[in-house]
Amino acid sequence: MALEVTQILLSAQSVDGSVRKHAEESLKQFQEQNLAGFLLSLSGELANDEKPVDSRKLAGLVLKNALDAKEQHRRYELIQRWLSLDVGVKAQIKTFLLQTLTSSVHEARSTASQVIAKVAGIELPQKQWPELIGSLLSNVHQVPVHVKQATLETLGYLCEEVSPDVVEQDHVNKILTAVVQGMNASEASNDVRLAATRALYNALGFAQANFTNDMERDYIMRVVCEATLSQEVKIRQAAFECLVSISSSYYEKLGPYMQDIFNITAKAVKEDEEPVALQAIEFWSSICDEEIDILEEYGGDFNTAVSDIPCFYFIKQALPALVPMLLETLLKQEEDQDQDEGAWNLAMAGGTCLGLVARTVGNDIVPLVMPFIEENITKPDWRQREGATYAFGSILEGPSPNQLVPLVNVALNFMLSALAKDPNNHVKDTTAWTLGRIFEFLHGSTMETPIITSANCQQIITVLLQSMKDAPNVAEKACGALYFLAQGFEDVGPSSPLTPFFQEIVQSLLTVTHREDAGESRLRTAAYETLNEVVRCSTDETVPMVLQLVPVIMMELHKTLEDQKLSSDEREKQNELQGLLCGCLQVIIQKLAASEATKYAFMQYADQIMNLFLRVFACRSATVHEEAMLAIGGLAYATGPDFAKYMPDFYKYLEMGLQNFEEYQVCAVTVGVVSDICRALEEKVLPWCDGIMTQLLKDLSSNQLHRSVKPPIFSCFGDISLAIGENFEKYLMYAMPMLQSAAELSSHTSGADDEMIEYTNLLRNGILEAYSGIFQGFKNSPKTQLLIPYAPHILQFLDLIYMEKDMDEVVMKTAIGVLGDLADTLGSNAGSLIQQSLSSKDFLNECLSSDDHLIKESAEWAKLAIIQDCIQWVGSGQEGMHLLHGSFECSACHQGELVISFFWKVGLGIKANSSSGSHDPGSAMSSSILTSVVVHRR
């Protein structure tokens, strides 16, 4: 079955485009016509030491790509394709792969390692290839060093591909033993030690049981710490990467080792090469992340009943030595660091870590950092001035405003002066960034002591606007500072301190967008983002000026649509600008649509704006389409029912967006716009609903669409139903089974990780919003009866998610609302159904006693709806009467009475009131209503 593919693989790497294309087509044809032979040929090529290195490398790469893909649906297809291959063919391929690990050619071995791991990732969960790990472990004891190195590399990749629960603990122990022995200082080969250290990084997720064993944990930690002192820089770097991973995976086990770890990290930061020093700092950043998460989640209450992982305050204990070490790194800047967007060096890592330390320990950091700032802030060496400014900016989040505001009040004038006059670009860049941090964390309506006053506001704005003419990196940070300055005045009332400067600010920002160098340092993007925030946070006083901005931005967008003869680089920049302009128009539309007076004035531009948006869709850029869609959603809200006139021209783009599986963010935004349009048009959306619902149902059925789009699609069902009411009848038979299937999938999340639980809650909320919209859409309609068959399943879904105890507050609010919607819409038909629910009583009571006022409000409404239901149900005749049981003596008439068992089941609190001589059920029901419920025993 295998064919000679050497020449084709070499031709596929030819510099001659036509030769390369022909070879690529030949490979594709071979794959499509004979997959088994294709894969066998590639694995044979990879294993053959007599073949050229280039053809072997490409053979391995193509083989790997035939087993895995980034897209979830494609990956699933490739897995199924491999599993369906003949067992004998797969066995031959796997033999070739294992054979390649003994090759003398490093590139072939390394590629084979990755392919073996990909196959293992498919087969081990299926209980296939059980002998693999044993074969690899036996290889580790081979004499040739290169075989040992390749095998350890393979074990590392395998641990990366395979879930820990797939591998037996005995095999885990043996893998870890092999890996840690390979790391040992007694290992003569640095290649083996490096492969082993990198393998341990991937294997740490498998070591849960081993880290609970003191002796095994001590051994692993000792070997890792020893590896940080290796003579080989790559081994040291890999060892510190292992420590970083251990700090997040096994934080609670680190206590006994922290002193040693501090010593080796401090040595690395002060003396080692930058890649190693960066990882040493990353260890402390990771510890900060862990402690911040614990402190935020448990609020400092660390008794074992509350938290499985107590906070050990490692950062607080290390503070006196850790902070000076980090401050020292701030003076190790590079001359050109502000020019490179991807720059990351020791000073940046140290400042980032210092910021995390401030968030972890709060006020305790201030007295340790202030002497460094005071000592360096006025020094002639720019590095000292910049380092001091960076230190100040880094500690502004964490300590209390009471600690920081007095320091900021002293420093503000100095910093404004530095931004305007310091001769060094780096100092100005960091000063502008620090001012932005001051405005972000210490400025706003919640602050007791304002740092921006009528006395300094003009100076601040003057300096920021002047700095927006500076070098692109400084101007970009000045825009950022202005962004947070505007944001802090969002809730100040009818008049803002920025109002007198509004026109000047807007004009300065527009000028920045036209700078020839606005493409550098994200400057143009920062200017538009700041303009958006200035508009969003503006007050009624400046609305006329916002209105004047509409034709200006429209003209800018129009210009980008006129120039069509562009190079690919120019086209990319043009697309970016179009996206920014659409985003700006969206914010302006939302602002002007917020009040009737400005909305009316804005409407004169609506037709022209919509025309521009439709022209934008002609360009082929996902980002632009996304921004244009969002802006159209805003326009639909602003124009309301009048948006109907745009639907004939817009609908084809709406459909294209819903079909855009590849750029799923565009699809998700388009789904949101459908909801906006439904709210705007209400019943006028009906002519378009068949097409929209057809496409939404196709989206849900597809395994190609990213899962994140599915919750908003379900929610959109609810919006469509709300808009068209009982006309949704024709879609019920398609939508309801989809909702039921998704509900069942989302009800079983035991053992899921945090990311999956978060997604499950999004999915549940989308499903519940759909049910809520459908119930409300059918309310008071003669077709309400159509929903009755679906009610038991919906109640069962509510029972299941309540009993799983992992729903978040948003889901809880929506779920209790659905219970109320069901009762409210189905009326007397709901009573007996709700009575059969396993958990309605407990769920309702829990929501009624919630601290979240929105949940409580929804629960109160649901309670009222259920009570009214039960009254109708009992009053409806004999069907309900046999369910009445239980008795108590009325304190007013001293006679026994029957009560609806459901009231007690749900705990709605009917009570007797002797003072009035009548039965009073409390706040939910009047005595006159109760007479239809209570049946006296005469």
Side-chain angles (χ1 to χ4, degrees):
M1 289 171 71
L3 293 177
E4 178 65 45
V5 290
T6 308
Q7 192 52 55
I8 301 175
L9 289 165
L10 291 173
S11 297
Q13 300 169 73
S14 169
V15 291
D16 186 325
S18 60
V19 172
R20 190 170 64 248
K21 187 178 179 184
H22 179 69
E24 287 168 355
E25 285 172 356
S26 298
L27 286 171
K28 186 179 178 185
Q29 193 175 8
F30 185 12
Q31 182 175 8
E32 288 170 354
Q33 292 175 356
N34 182 1
L35 179 65
F38 177 70
L39 298 178
L40 202 54
S41 301
L42 293 173
S43 56
E45 185 80 13
L46 180 61
N48 192 337
D49 270 346
E50 294 178 8
K51 297 291 184 180
V53 174
D54 286 346
S55 70
R56 295 176 74 185
K57 276 171 63 179
L58 184 57
L61 181 63
V62 174
L63 194 55
K64 189 175 82 164
N65 290 340
L67 297 167
D68 196 17
K70 286 181 182 176
E71 298 83 9
Q72 196 176 358
H73 70 279
R74 179 65 182 150
R75 186 167 183 270
Y76 177 78
E77 286 172 10
L78 295 177
I79 288 170
Q80 296 309 309
R81 196 174 71 170
W82 171 264
L83 290 172
S84 64
L85 281 176
D86 177 75
V87 175
V89 172
K90 287 191 287 187
Q92 268 185 285
I93 293 169
K94 290 185 283 190
T95 301
F96 277 138
L97 291 172
L98 289 172
Q99 181 186 320
T100 311
L101 295 182
T102 65
S103 170
S104 58
V105 178
H106 174 262
E107 289 92 337
R109 294 196 308 272
S110 185
T111 307
S113 293
Q114 295 172 58
V115 179
I116 289 167
K118 294 294 180 190
V119 175
I122 296 171
E123 294 207 346
L124 292 185
Q126 306 288 329
K127 307 292 183 192
Q128 297 177 18
W129 210 1
E131 70 279 10
L132 169 63
I133 293 174
S135 301
L136 292 173
L137 290 169
S138 65
N139 262 5
V140 173
H141 305 296
Q142 295 262 340
V143 176
V145 167
H146 68 269
V147 179
K148 193 172 182 179
Q149 179 268 335
T151 305
L152 287 166
E153 190 176 344
T154 307
L155 286 169
Y157 286 131
L158 187 147
C159 291
E160 190 177 18
E161 289 292 332
V162 177
S163 173
D165 56 9
V166 167
V167 183
E168 295 172 9
Q169 188 58 45
D170 181 51
H171 273 152
V172 170
N173 294 341
K174 287 175 180 174
I175 290 171
L176 285 169
T177 300
V179 167
V180 175
Q181 282 177 351
M183 288 176 66
N184 221 305
S186 60
E187 172 56 58
S189 165
N190 278 341
D191 287 344
V192 170
R193 283 193 80 189
L194 179 59
T197 309
R198 287 175 174 169
L200 179 66
Y201 178 84
N202 288 325
L204 283 167
F206 288 70
Q208 296 282 350
N210 311 84
F211 263 77
T212 60
N213 181 303
D214 292 354
M215 285 180 60
E216 292 181 25
R217 184 177 67 249
D218 286 346
Y219 181 51
I220 293 170
M221 292 300 294
R222 179 175 65 76
V223 171
V224 173
C225 289
E226 281 176 0
T228 65
L229 305 173
S230 164
Q231 294 298 306
E232 173 59 43
V233 65
K234 287 183 179 177
I235 295 173
R236 296 198 301 276
Q237 183 181 351
F240 274 113
E241 286 170 359
C242 287
L243 276 181
V244 173
S245 180
I246 289 167
S247 70
S248 59
S249 300
Y250 303 105
Y251 165 85
E252 71 279 12
K253 303 291 185 188
L254 284 177
Y257 316 105
M258 288 305 285
Q259 186 58 56
D260 289 337
I261 292 173
F262 181 82
N263 292 338
I264 59 178
T265 52
K267 185 178 188 316
V269 171
K270 288 175 184 173
E271 302 170 14
D272 215 325
E273 294 184 39
E274 188 171 78
V276 181
L278 288 171
Q279 286 302 317
I281 293 173
E282 186 62 27
F283 171 83
W284 291 102
S285 292
S286 179
I287 293 288
C288 287
D289 286 334
E290 291 302 309
E291 296 197 346
I292 289 166
D293 285 348
I294 296 168
L295 291 165
E296 285 179 353
E297 188 167 352
Y298 299 110
D301 183 2
F302 301 118
N303 60 64
T304 50
V306 175
S307 168
D308 294 333
I309 303 177
C311 186
F312 290 106
Y313 298 102
F314 292 137
I315 298 297
K316 200 165 190 172
Q317 292 172 47
L319 213 54
L322 179 62
V323 170
M325 178 184 86
L326 294 173
L327 291 172
E328 201 176 307
T329 67
L330 302 189
L331 303 175
K332 297 182 179 178
Q333 309 96 320
E334 293 169 7
E335 285 283 357
D336 59 350
Q337 66 181 24
D338 294 330
Q339 313 309 316
D340 181 6
E341 280 188 36
W344 187 247
N345 58 36
L346 210 55
M348 291 173 167
T352 301
C353 187
L354 190 66
L356 289 167
V357 171
R359 288 178 58 199
T360 309
V361 302
N363 292 344
D364 292 352
I365 200 170
V366 177
L368 295 170
V369 174
M370 287 312 296
F372 173 85
I373 295 170
E374 289 160 2
E375 182 187 342
N376 290 286
I377 196 76
T378 57
K379 288 286 174 71
D381 184 346
W382 73 265
R383 283 189 164 83
Q384 290 174 289
R385 298 197 306 279
E386 196 272 342
T389 310
Y390 192 17
F392 191 55
S394 297
I395 64 166
L396 291 171
E397 184 184 10
S400 71
N402 293 339
Q403 282 272 316
L404 295 172
V405 167
L407 301 174
V408 168
N409 283 333
V410 171
L412 196 56
N413 274 342
F414 180 87
M415 299 194 80
L416 291 168
S417 176
L419 179 55
K421 298 173 185 173
D422 197 286
N424 185 270
N425 177 282
H426 297 296
V427 176
K428 286 195 283 190
D429 181 287
T430 303
T431 303
W433 172 79
T434 300
L435 285 167
R437 301 263 296 174
I438 289 170
F439 302 149
E440 181 180 4
F441 298 116
L442 298 172
H443 159 56
S445 57
T446 58
M447 296 295 298
E448 287 179 20
T449 311
I451 55 166
I452 296 165
T453 62
S454 53
N456 63 18
C457 188
Q458 180 160 7
Q459 184 196 3
I460 290 169
I461 291 167
T462 301
V463 171
L464 291 178
L465 297 187
Q466 188 61 35
S467 298
M468 279 156 46
K469 300 172 185 173
D470 211 314
N473 61 307
V474 176
E476 186 263 337
K477 302 292 192 310
C479 286
L482 186 56
Y483 177 101
F484 289 115
L485 183 69
Q487 193 176 79
F489 288 125
E490 183 178 2
D491 301 313
V492 293
S495 182
S496 166
L498 291 189
T499 298
F501 312 103
F502 186 85
Q503 188 129 18
E504 188 183 359
I505 289 169
V506 167
Q507 192 52 57
S508 296
L509 287 165
L510 289 172
T511 303
V512 170
T513 67
H514 292 123
R515 281 177 51 157
E516 284 187 21
D517 56 2
E520 298 173 30
S521 297
R522 284 189 75 256
L523 178 54
R524 183 178 286 109
T525 301
Y528 275 114
E529 285 174 351
T530 304
L531 177 60
N532 293 349
E533 196 66 5
V534 168
V535 168
R536 194 182 69 79
C537 299
S538 61
T539 63
D540 292 345
E541 292 175 285
T542 53
V543 160
M545 286 179 270
V546 174
L547 196 60
Q548 289 168 21
L549 200 50
V550 177
V552 176
I553 302 299
M554 281 171 58
M555 181 54 70
E556 293 289 324
L557 185 55
H558 177 76
K559 282 182 200 169
T560 69
L561 295 165
E562 291 302 294
D563 195 0
Q564 297 302 318
K565 294 178 181 178
L566 300 171
S567 66
S568 59
D569 189 42
E570 288 169 332
R571 174 80 60 197
E572 190 177 331
K573 288 176 182 173
Q574 184 203 54
N575 288 341
E576 183 187 356
L577 178 56
Q578 285 175 342
L580 292 169
L581 291 164
C582 287
C584 188
L585 279 171
Q586 183 201 354
V587 173
I588 293 170
I589 291 166
Q590 287 173 334
K591 189 71 185 178
L592 295 174
S595 76
E596 285 302 317
T598 53
K599 190 198 293 190
Y600 179 78
F602 161 76
M603 289 304 288
Q604 63 181 305
Y605 297 110
D607 290 356
Q608 294 166 271
I609 289 176
M610 189 64 190
N611 185 49
L612 284 170
F613 289 153
L614 292 173
R615 288 180 65 193
V616 162
F617 282 113
C619 72
R620 300 177 178 275
S621 165
T623 307
V624 182
H625 287 192
E626 194 175 334
E627 293 295 340
M629 273 292 177
L630 285 166
I632 286 171
L635 189 64
Y637 171 77
T639 54
D642 290 343
F643 190 82
K645 65 182 175 182
Y646 305 128
M647 284 299 289
D649 292 327
F650 174 55
Y651 179 73
K652 64 181 175 185
Y653 299 114
L654 192 73
E655 198 168 51
M656 278 167 53
L658 294 176
Q659 291 168 352
N660 197 341
F661 288 178
E662 272 185 47
E663 288 133 355
Y664 66 87
Q665 295 94 335
V666 175
C667 188
V669 166
T670 308
V671 171
V673 170
V674 171
S675 292
D676 293 335
I677 290 169
C678 287
R679 284 188 282 272
L681 297 187
E682 296 182 336
E683 280 206 342
K684 284 188 177 181
V685 79
L686 197 55
W688 316 102
C689 282
D690 281 1
I692 289 169
M693 281 299 296
T694 300
Q695 193 54 53
L696 291 177
L697 290 163
K698 275 185 189 173
D699 288 357
L700 288 173
S701 304
S702 168
N703 61 2
Q704 294 180 34
L705 184 62
H706 195 275
R707 69 180 191 181
S708 64
V709 188
K710 299 195 174 181
I713 289 177
F714 286 128
S715 182
C716 190
F717 284 176
D719 291 318
I720 293 170
S721 180
L722 274 170
I724 64 174
E726 64 180 29
N727 292 302
F728 196 80
E729 173 194 358
K730 66 197 292 192
Y731 310 123
L732 278 178
M733 63 186 290
Y734 307 106
M736 285 309 215
M738 286 276 194
L739 287 163
Q740 288 179 2
S741 299
E744 282 164 18
L745 280 173
S746 78
S747 317
H748 307 290
T749 56
S750 54
D753 58 25
D754 290 348
E755 186 183 341
M756 190 62 199
I757 289 171
E758 185 181 349
Y759 172 73
T760 300
N761 275 312
L762 287 171
L763 183 60
R764 288 172 177 172
N765 199 59
I767 294 163
L768 291 165
E769 285 182 340
Y771 284 142
S772 180
I774 290 167
F775 277 124
Q776 289 179 50
F778 276 81
K779 189 184 173 186
N780 299 327
S781 156
K783 295 181 179 177
T784 301
Q785 303 292 320
L786 295 170
L787 301 180
I788 294 172
Y790 304 109
H793 185 278
I794 294 167
L795 288 165
Q796 185 186 3
F797 177 47
L798 294 176
D799 284 340
L800 281 167
I801 61 174
Y802 174 70
M803 289 188 280
E804 289 213 357
K805 300 294 180 192
D806 60 358
M807 63 174 147
D808 60 23
E809 288 82 0
V810 176
V811 173
M812 183 176 271
K813 177 187 172 295
T814 317
I816 200 64
V818 167
L819 186 65
D821 287 327
L822 186 147
D824 190 39
T825 300
L826 298 186
S828 60
N829 295 300
S832 60
L833 294 169
I834 293 174
Q835 192 197 26
Q836 292 163 32
S837 165
L838 298 173
S839 59
S840 289
K841 170 191 171 182
D842 296 335
F843 186 24
L844 188 58
N845 284 337
E846 189 173 313
C847 292
L848 285 167
S849 59
S850 172
D851 293 332
D852 186 315
H853 78 278
L854 291 174
I855 292 174
K856 198 168 184 174
E857 253 178 43
S858 291
E860 292 283 0
W861 176 82
K863 169 180 168 179
L864 193 60
I866 291 167
I867 287 172
Q868 298 293 349
D869 248 6
C870 291
I871 294 164
Q872 293 173 34
W873 174 49
V874 171
S876 64
Q878 291 302 311
E879 297 91 340
M881 294 303 287
H882 70 280
L883 292 168
L884 301 181
H885 63 82
S887 68
F888 67 95
E889 187 172 88
C890 172
S891 58
C893 60
H894 304 291
Q895 295 199 38
E897 62 181 26
L898 300 177
V899 294
I900 295 177
S901 61
F902 181 76
F903 284 149
W904 301 114
K905 189 173 181 188
V906 182
L908 295 182
I910 296 177
K911 61 186 179 185
N913 185 331
S914 58
S915 62
S916 65
S918 65
H919 300 278
D920 178 8
S923 60
M925 297 167 61
S926 70
S927 56
S928 61
I929 292 174
L930 187 63
T931 57
S932 67
V933 178
V934 175
V935 182
H936 282 232
R937 263 196 215 104
R938 294 295 181 193

